[in-house]
Amino acid sequence: AQKITQTQPGMFVQEKEAVTLDCTYDTSDPSYGLFWYKQPSSGEMIFLIYQGSYDQQNATEGRYSLNFQKARKSANLVISASQLGDSAMYFCAMRERDSTSGTYKYIFGTGTRLKVLA
Amino acid sequence: DSGVTQTPKHLITATGQRVTLRCSPRSGDLSVYWYQQSLDQGLQFLIQYYNGEERAKGNILERFSAQQFPDLHSELNLSSLELGDSALYFCASSVQGGTTEAFFGQGTRLTVV
């Protein structure tokens, strides 16, 4: 079973509009973390935002916010006031403790390619 | 700058050859992760090291191997290369415990011809 699911291969949004990128997850670790990364065409992975499983409030970082619905196991990324520079691939990731090794591992979804239209 | 350094940035080699990718983690990070990203694909976890020891293995082929040295830098060795091994290989590092993200290097783009 997929641990991280991103159901939107591609999304379009008009410049200055808001957009939501979906992410659902599955884990039995009670102390997990959820992340979003941006990968522009240049290839680097840029960390955007983090949400801990015990955090009561949704994380926000500038124009990025994470809509965390724990019971639904979803961690959607909301980008407000989209800019042309937001066009990129976006990956949802989860950090969970590996039951065998006891160390943390990071699992990534398949990504959503966002295109911002002028 | 994430603080994670990967070399080389680009590598072109022929089928059947062997290459070594190098990663220097952020200062103080004990965990190193290797990922493979094929064209327009997500990140496939290959292997994780913690303080010199292998801790977790993902979808890593037997032709691939890795190690982490006492100074914590890591190397990913790819041998008997095939066209399908062409990909972007990322190294990431993190501290263990706490609420931190994994910090990624710029990646090594490997092209097998």
Side-chain angles (χ1 to χ4, degrees):
Chain A
Q2 290 289 339
K3 290 259 187 177
I4 294 283
T5 303
Q6 294 181 254
T7 57
Q8 305 154 314
M11 291 277 287
F12 289 96
V13 65
Q14 206 65 39
E15 196 179 8
K16 299 179 187 172
E17 298 289 315
V19 63
T20 298
L21 307 184
D22 295 341
C23 173
T24 58
Y25 61 92
D26 185 29
T27 181
S28 56
D29 180 3
S31 181
Y32 55 89
L34 297 159
F35 305 83
W36 279 90
Y37 286 85
K38 172 184 178 182
Q39 186 180 39
S41 57
S42 52
E44 72 266 35
M45 294 288 286
I46 302 167
F47 165 72
L48 295 178
I49 195 166
Y50 165 81
Q51 180 86 40
S53 59
Y54 295 120
D55 294 342
Q56 297 291 320
Q57 293 191 326
N58 287 342
T60 60
E61 288 286 347
R63 294 185 299 110
Y64 304 108
S65 61
L66 200 152
N67 185 0
F68 182 45
Q69 298 189 43
K70 195 169 183 176
R72 293 187 174 185
K73 294 190 173 181
S74 76
N76 299 338
L77 176 71
V78 180
I79 305 175
S80 62
S82 297
Q83 302 171 357
L84 296 178
D86 294 334
S87 294
M89 192 75 153
Y90 288 81
F91 290 99
C92 179
M94 177 174 66
R95 185 199 67 226
E96 66 173 4
R97 191 181 288 275
D98 182 82
S99 58
T100 304
S101 68
T103 57
Y104 289 102
K105 57 184 180 181
Y106 295 82
I107 303 163
F108 285 78
T110 52
T112 295
R113 187 173 298 281
L114 177 67
K115 176 73 173 172
V116 180
L117 305 173
Chain B
D1 183 3
S2 68
V4 179
T5 304
Q6 283 187 253
T7 56
K9 284 192 171 59
H10 300 276
L11 198 49
I12 301 174
T13 190
T15 54
Q17 295 297 305
R18 171 189 169 95
V19 297
T20 297
L21 312 184
R22 182 187 168 101
C23 169
S24 294
R26 283 190 332 150
S27 177
D29 285 357
L30 299 180
S31 273
V32 169
Y33 307 82
W34 286 97
Y35 292 88
Q36 179 193 54
Q37 185 181 29
S38 301
L39 190 62
D40 287 337
Q41 301 269 318
L43 275 73
Q44 296 295 320
F45 170 67
L46 294 178
I47 198 163
Q48 178 204 358
Y49 279 83
Y50 176 77
N51 203 19
E53 292 185 5
E54 180 187 305
R55 284 301 184 97
K57 256 185 176 178
N59 301 322
I60 187 166
L61 300 171
E62 285 192 11
R63 299 183 286 108
F64 296 0
S65 65
Q67 53 185 325
Q68 186 180 30
F69 294 87
D71 67 352
L72 300 178
H73 92 271
S74 178
E75 292 181 356
L76 179 66
N77 300 297
L78 315 176
S79 61
S80 303
L81 285 168
E82 302 174 359
L83 296 178
D85 297 328
S86 296
L88 191 52
Y89 291 84
F90 282 107
C91 165
S93 74
S94 76
V95 298
Q96 282 299 302
T99 55
T100 72
E101 65 272 30
F103 294 86
F104 280 79
Q106 298 273 8
T108 293
R109 189 171 294 280
L110 173 67
T111 303
V112 182
V113 297

